[in-house]
Amino acid sequence: MERGAPFSPYQLPRPNSGLNSDQLSNPNSMTSSVVTAGGTSDKNKGVAVQQQPCMAREQDQYMPIANVIRIMRKSLPAHAKISDDAKETIQECVSEYISFVTGEANERCQREQRKTITAEDILWAMSKLGFDNYVDPLTLYINRYREIETDRGSALRGEPAVSFRQTYGGNGIGFHGPPHSLPPSGPYGYGMVDPTMGMGGGRYYQNGSGQDGSGSGTGTGGSSSSINGMSSVYDPYVQYK
Amino acid sequence: MAEDQESPIRPEFPIGRVKKIMKLDQDINKINSEALHLITYSTELFLHFLAEKSAVVAVEKKRKTVSLDHLRTAVKRHQPTSDFLLDSLPLPSQPGRHTKTASDKKAPPPPPVGTRRIDDFFQ
C-alpha cells in the first residue's frame, strides 16, 4: 500500500485479503491475492500497482523464510543470531542452488533425449557440480525412500518394514530425523534390522513396553523396541532365512 | 505407533515450492517424484552447510550474529559453491530485497510522481 508508509512484502497481501476471499482456498493465496489486488483495487494506483506483481513473483521463487530459518537454527549454536539481510540472502541462495542443480540435471536429460528428470540425473549433476560429498547421503536417502514406497505396499500385508532411520549413518550433516551414528556394518537388505535401533531413533526408548510382533502399520513388527530383550532382537532375522 | 509420529521421510521444505522454483526455468519439462524429493533433501543439506560455514566465520570474527559478510566469506571458501553463488550475492553496498524499511529510515522515500515541493507554491 504505497501511501508514503514503508511496507514489507510480508504485510502486503494482508490488507488486500478482504478483496480476495475467493483466493483464500489457494494454499499459495499470498501470491495470487497480491497479483489480483494489484489489478482490481482502485486504491492502489501509481507505483503500488507496478510493484505488487513483482513482489508476488519474488515470494514465489524463494523457499519460505520460516523453513529456512528453522533449518539454519539446527546448524547454528544456540545463542547465535542471523542478520535480516543474511536471512534473505540465504533464501535467495537456496533458490539459486535448486535452479542450478536442476538446470544441470535437465541438460543431461536433454542430451540423452529424455523428458523427465530422474533421481540419477540429480545425483549426477551434484557430482559434476562439485557437491559429491552430498551424493552418499542422498543415495542412502533415495534408497530408503524407495524402500519406504515399496514398504507401503507390503505393510498392508503385515510384513515388517525397514525403518528409514536405522540404516542412515549419521554423517554429521544432520538429517531432520534424530541424527545418530550407526556402524554401517552388516548387510542392510530388505527387512534387516540393526539390533541397536528400534523403530525410530530417539523414540526407541519410549516403547520400552515391548511390543513384540505387533507389526502394525509400517512398524518394524518383529523387531520390537524392547530394550530389555536384546537377545530377542535377532528374531526378525528368522523370518528371512 | 510411536514411530509414526512423523513419517520416516518428511522433507523440511515444502515440495510444492521446490517444484515451483524448478519450473521457473522454462526448459524444465517433467520431474520424477524421486528427483523432487532428492532435490528437496539436498537443498536442506546445502542450507545446513551454508549455515554451519557462516557460523564458523562469525565465530572467527567473534560475532554472535551471522551477517551477510560472514556468509560471503563462507561461500568464497568453498569452490563449487563459490562458482555459482558468489555472483548472486548482493554487493555490500547494495540493499537487499526487503530492506525497504531499513533504507527508508536512512533516507526519505522518493516523493510520488507529480508532487511538487511546497516551496513551489510560494514563488
Side-chain angles (χ1 to χ4, degrees):
Chain A
M1 308 272 280
E2 184 61 44
R3 295 188 180 169
F7 67 90
S8 80
Y10 296 111
Q11 294 171 8
L12 191 58
R14 288 181 211 138
N16 301 321
S17 61
L19 302 168
N20 298 291
S21 53
D22 57 335
Q23 301 284 350
L24 289 178
S25 56
N26 183 348
N28 294 321
S29 61
M30 186 180 278
T31 57
S32 55
S33 66
V34 171
V35 172
T36 311
T40 58
S41 170
D42 288 338
K43 288 181 268 184
N44 300 325
K45 285 186 177 158
V47 180
V49 174
Q50 284 121 29
Q51 283 181 353
Q52 285 178 9
C54 297
M55 292 308 221
R57 284 198 287 276
E58 243 188 71
Q59 289 308 308
D60 230 5
Q61 64 177 323
Y62 300 123
M63 299 304 298
I65 196 155
N67 299 54
V68 169
I69 294 172
R70 186 171 65 227
I71 295 176
M72 284 185 72
R73 290 212 186 279
K74 294 182 186 174
S75 300
L76 294 174
H79 60 272
K81 298 189 197 336
I82 313 162
S83 71
D84 287 341
D85 54 359
K87 284 178 193 166
E88 290 166 10
T89 307
I90 288 187
Q91 221 183 344
E92 296 169 14
C93 292
V94 164
S95 292
E96 275 293 323
Y97 173 81
I98 294 174
S99 305
F100 188 52
V101 175
T102 310
E104 267 314 308
N106 193 42
E107 275 183 30
R108 183 185 190 226
C109 245
Q110 289 177 342
R111 273 202 303 271
E112 301 185 358
Q113 295 178 334
R114 284 180 284 116
K115 294 217 167 145
T116 309
I117 301 178
T118 65
E120 279 69 30
D121 295 327
I122 302 287
L123 289 172
W124 177 88
M126 296 251 149
S127 182
K128 175 172 186 273
L129 296 172
F131 293 102
D132 31 357
N133 49 325
Y134 293 177
V135 170
D136 289 337
L138 286 176
T139 309
L140 278 171
Y141 175 83
I142 198 64
N143 287 338
R144 293 294 85 83
Y145 174 78
R146 287 169 178 162
E147 285 182 17
I148 299 276
E149 291 300 307
T150 50
D151 285 348
R152 283 196 210 281
S154 67
L156 296 173
R157 299 194 299 271
E159 293 177 22
V162 177
S163 170
F164 164 71
R165 289 195 196 85
Q166 305 161 7
T167 52
Y168 178 68
N171 55 4
I173 293 185
F175 186 53
H176 61 75
H180 41 257
S181 299
L182 285 180
S185 59
Y188 285 104
Y190 180 87
M192 288 301 223
V193 175
D194 185 318
T196 61
M197 293 310 304
M199 298 185 220
R203 292 187 288 282
Y204 175 81
Y205 296 97
Q206 293 174 11
N207 294 326
S209 61
Q211 296 172 3
D212 287 343
S214 49
S216 63
T218 58
T220 52
S223 76
S224 85
S225 52
S226 59
I227 307 166
N228 40 3
M230 288 300 279
S231 58
S232 67
V233 175
Y234 286 96
D235 287 342
Y237 296 159
V238 173
Q239 308 174 29
Y240 299 99
K241 285 182 184 165
Chain B
M1 293 297 290
E3 78 280 7
D4 288 334
Q5 282 172 8
E6 48 178 298
S7 59
I9 301 194
R10 188 170 56 97
E12 289 274 347
F13 278 135
I15 295 196
R17 185 65 66 91
V18 175
K19 192 168 185 181
K20 263 195 199 162
I21 295 174
M22 290 168 103
K23 291 266 190 181
L24 286 175
D25 184 347
Q26 307 286 348
D27 290 337
I28 309 277
N29 292 318
K30 291 187 182 184
I31 307 155
N32 195 354
S33 141
E34 283 183 352
L36 198 50
H37 275 82
L38 260 191
I39 282 271
T40 308
Y41 180 48
S42 83
T43 310
E44 288 178 41
L45 295 180
F46 180 68
L47 184 52
H48 278 299
F49 160 79
L50 273 188
E52 271 182 45
K53 299 297 179 197
S54 305
V56 162
V57 174
V59 165
E60 283 174 14
K61 307 201 175 189
K62 300 194 176 27
R63 293 275 182 276
K64 285 191 181 175
T65 304
V66 176
S67 76
L68 189 49
D69 289 331
H70 302 153
L71 177 64
R72 186 177 293 108
T73 308
V75 165
K76 279 187 195 166
R77 288 181 182 177
H78 188 241
Q79 187 63 42
T81 308
S82 166
D83 286 343
F84 84 91
L85 204 51
L86 201 56
D87 297 332
S88 312
L89 294 179
L91 297 173
S93 55
Q94 254 180 28
R97 291 178 285 129
H98 300 157
T99 52
K100 205 169 174 44
T101 50
S103 61
D104 280 345
K105 287 172 193 160
K106 293 175 195 166
V113 174
T115 55
R116 296 177 290 172
R117 286 178 56 82
I118 199 161
D119 295 0
D120 291 349
F121 290 102
F122 300 109
Q123 291 177 3

